[in-house]
Amino acid sequence: MGIVAPARSRSRNGGCIVSRPSLRLGYHRGTTAHVSSIYPFSVQGSTGYRGTYIGLDLLAGGSEFCWDPFDAYAAGLVTNPNSWVLGEPGNGKSALVKCLLWRQAAVYGTGNSGRWIAIADPKGEYASLAEHLGLTRVKLSPGGTATINPLAPGPAAEHEPADRQILRRAEMCTALIATVLERPLTQLEDAVVFAAVEQLTVAPDFEPTLTDVARLVADPTEAMALRLRAGGRDLVSETSNVAYALDKLLSRSLRGMFDGRSTVPLRWDGPGVVLDLSAVPLDSEALPLVMVATAGWFQQLMACPGPQRIQVLDEAWALLGNRHTAGYLQTCFKLGRTYGVANLCITHRASDLVAQADDGTATSKIAAGLLADSATKIILRQAPDQLAAAVAHFG
């Protein structure tokens, strides 16, 4: 766009021609994004009508604002359907997510003909939504009667080879054990866990549990000892810490929740499930373990062809406390484009993603990388002391 400088003006006064000086400006060029600011009534373009209605877009003249992770991905607006929702407590994070899920159910439907929803609910806030959408609601508590088996085959067993099931189960078990031990597993410890999971997975007509894994680690079979090139007693001695960690998991942290076969009937073709984890304190050491086991059970439901699925992980900061749980969450994110899963993680502030670990560590790098693996960031109100961190992470 060019702006032409005015020419020198001349007037006639008493028969004399007087030359008046005038301002001379050079040409100015600017993009439409910047030059449009000189027109006070200009507005930006609407994001379109595809997706779920959220509200009014005040930057687009009050037009409707619609968004859906799958529609945005299909339209090429984002590179993946994963999202983070960040905001101070009491500023509408959960309300936004509930409205989004409720309206998605109205627009796209639920179950196999629409959207399948899985929610990890550490605060017990989604009971009403579960009732209205017909979601299966499971309330888990230490020592309770409801049990979920994170190693249950689920519908994924019919669509993927056994090798992939073994890898996914072994990753979950390794993350749980390493979290309890507060250190990475040694090569032999990792190998014995993998061997136990493999032996249980290939067994015909058998549903393995974490209790079965603990039994094989504490008392390896001859086939396991032969494969690991270690004698039975030597193997037990070298992996005793893993056995103790599993015992702590099953007798304390996960007691009654994930230590046996599932006691809750779930319709695989239903609208979805809500796992109420409110009986586990938010500040307890058990919450990250419970979240990993919950995500592990969800993966059995999602790692297969099917309808578009949404996985909501509220209080996702609990998974960022160490490299193993953070790495496991990163693995879950990779399922987004492969199986049509949108991960929707909810936390308070940008610093939550790195505050659980020291700067520069592998854990903090994984946590920061999770933002890069999420093409959509929904940022609600941030406290003044969090603005610098928000700018650093989101620009």
Side-chain angles (χ1 to χ4, degrees):
M1 177 180 179
I3 300 177
V4 182
R8 179 180 291 272
S9 62
R10 301 167 70 89
S11 65
R12 188 177 297 276
N13 184 7
C16 299
I17 297 177
V18 180
S19 178
R20 296 177 179 173
S22 60
L23 180 64
R24 291 186 176 274
L25 298 176
Y27 282 97
H28 173 74
R29 291 181 178 272
T31 65
T32 54
H34 295 88
V35 177
S36 63
S37 64
I38 67 176
Y39 298 99
F41 302 106
S42 292
V43 296
Q44 71 178 20
S46 172
T47 55
Y49 64 90
R50 295 183 61 85
T52 304
Y53 177 78
I54 303 297
L56 297 179
D57 188 349
L58 298 182
L59 299 178
S63 64
E64 75 280 356
F65 176 71
C66 300
W67 176 80
D68 177 76
F70 296 108
D71 280 339
Y73 178 56
L77 300 177
V78 294
T79 56
N80 62 69
N82 297 324
S83 308
W84 280 86
V85 181
L86 305 100
E88 287 294 294
N91 281 276
K93 298 187 303 298
S94 297
L96 173 63
V97 173
K98 292 172 190 174
C99 286
L100 181 64
L101 296 177
W102 174 257
R103 293 172 184 175
Q104 282 181 340
V107 174
Y108 304 101
T110 58
N112 286 335
S113 60
R115 299 283 172 82
W116 201 90
I117 304 170
I119 303 173
D121 181 14
K123 294 183 291 186
E125 294 183 322
Y126 292 83
S128 179
L129 180 69
E131 180 181 356
H132 284 83
L133 292 183
L135 307 178
T136 300
R137 180 170 172 260
V138 181
K139 185 174 178 62
L140 299 177
S141 60
T145 58
T147 303
I148 294 296
N149 181 14
L151 299 182
E158 302 178 3
H159 302 279
E160 64 179 1
D163 289 346
R164 187 170 298 176
Q165 293 184 52
I166 294 170
L167 288 173
R168 188 172 61 250
R169 289 171 172 175
E171 285 178 353
M172 186 200 65
C173 292
T174 300
L176 290 172
I177 297 169
T179 301
V180 175
L181 294 177
E182 298 182 350
R183 63 167 176 80
L185 271 62
T186 65
Q187 294 291 336
L188 182 58
E189 290 172 342
D190 183 77
V192 75
V193 172
F194 184 87
V197 171
E198 182 181 43
Q199 182 164 319
L200 292 169
T201 301
V202 299
D205 301 325
F206 181 73
E207 179 183 314
T209 66
L210 287 174
T211 302
D212 296 320
V213 175
R215 174 178 54 80
L216 281 184
V217 170
D219 186 16
T221 63
E222 293 183 4
M224 292 173 58
L226 182 62
R227 172 178 174 173
L228 299 174
R229 300 178 182 178
R233 291 185 179 180
D234 294 336
L235 187 59
V236 171
S237 176
E238 292 291 335
T239 60
S240 59
N241 287 332
V242 174
Y244 296 146
L246 283 168
D247 179 71
K248 180 179 179 180
L249 276 173
L250 301 176
S251 62
R252 281 173 277 181
S253 301
L254 304 182
R255 180 171 59 90
M257 295 184 288
F258 301 95
D259 55 355
R261 293 192 175 188
S262 299
T263 60
V264 179
L266 176 66
R267 287 182 52 200
W268 304 118
D269 59 346
V273 60
V274 174
L275 290 188
D276 185 345
L277 310 175
S278 57
V280 182
L282 289 177
D283 58 350
S284 69
E285 296 180 355
L287 183 59
L289 300 169
V290 171
M291 292 288 282
V292 168
T294 298
W297 187 65
F298 282 167
Q299 296 315 302
Q300 303 293 338
L301 309 178
M302 297 186 179
C304 62
Q308 292 175 329
R309 284 151 288 186
I310 299 176
Q311 176 175 249
V312 178
L313 298 176
D314 209 335
E315 304 295 337
W317 56 264
L319 289 168
L320 305 175
N322 64 72
R323 182 171 65 87
H324 310 285
T325 54
Y328 189 72
L329 180 59
Q330 189 179 47
T331 301
C332 297
F333 267 46
K334 301 301 182 183
L335 292 176
R337 288 180 292 185
T338 304
Y339 295 108
V341 178
N343 294 282
L344 190 58
C345 294
I346 305 174
T347 188
H348 297 148
R349 56 193 72 87
S351 58
D352 283 344
L353 276 72
V354 294
Q356 309 302 318
D358 296 332
D359 292 339
T361 62
T363 306
S364 64
K365 291 178 180 178
I366 292 174
L370 287 172
L371 280 179
D373 289 337
S374 301
T376 303
K377 291 88 172 175
I378 302 171
I379 307 172
L380 304 180
R381 182 185 183 277
Q382 296 290 295
D385 62 347
Q386 296 298 318
L387 295 182
V391 170
H393 284 89
F394 307 116

